[in-house]
Amino acid sequence: MLILRRRRNESILIGDNIRITILECASDGVRVAIDAPKQISIIREELSEAEQTNKTALAPKNNSVHSLQAALTQYFHNNNSSSD
């Protein structure tokens, strides 16, 4: 990790095409401006973490898929044999 000290209106360059400029320093936070190509995604870390949590919650667990498959197989087997 690189730690730098910057003042208002000073910038940090990342590579040739990303510039981070300090706009304002206050007791409740720092405002920054990020100038980067459109194809580079820029998102707040907490939103990225929330997105990952949501994706994980929506993804079925392997054992739950197998349990559902077994339950459906049993259900259809029972319904087909009782109608005979």
Side-chain angles (χ1 to χ4, degrees):
M1 178 185 300
L2 173 65
I3 300 172
L4 300 171
R5 182 182 303 254
R6 299 279 73 200
R7 290 191 172 97
R8 188 171 175 239
N9 295 323
E10 292 182 337
S11 297
I12 299 167
L13 296 175
I14 301 175
D16 293 331
N17 56 0
I18 300 173
R19 177 186 306 267
I20 300 173
T21 303
I22 305 303
L23 298 179
E24 180 182 327
C25 298
S27 61
D28 63 338
V30 176
R31 289 182 60 212
V32 297
I34 302 169
D35 184 21
K38 288 182 181 182
Q39 66 269 20
I40 294 179
S41 174
I42 300 171
I43 187 170
R44 294 189 333 242
E45 183 177 16
E46 65 271 16
L47 295 180
S48 178
E49 291 169 356
E51 179 182 36
Q52 187 59 42
T53 300
N54 289 339
K55 284 181 182 178
T56 302
L58 290 174
K61 305 287 185 259
N62 251 354
N63 59 351
S64 64
V65 171
H66 292 301
S67 296
L68 177 60
Q69 184 179 23
L72 288 172
T73 300
Q74 184 67 31
Y75 173 80
F76 288 118
H77 176 73
N78 289 343
N79 284 343
N80 287 338
S81 62
S82 65
S83 63
D84 291 335

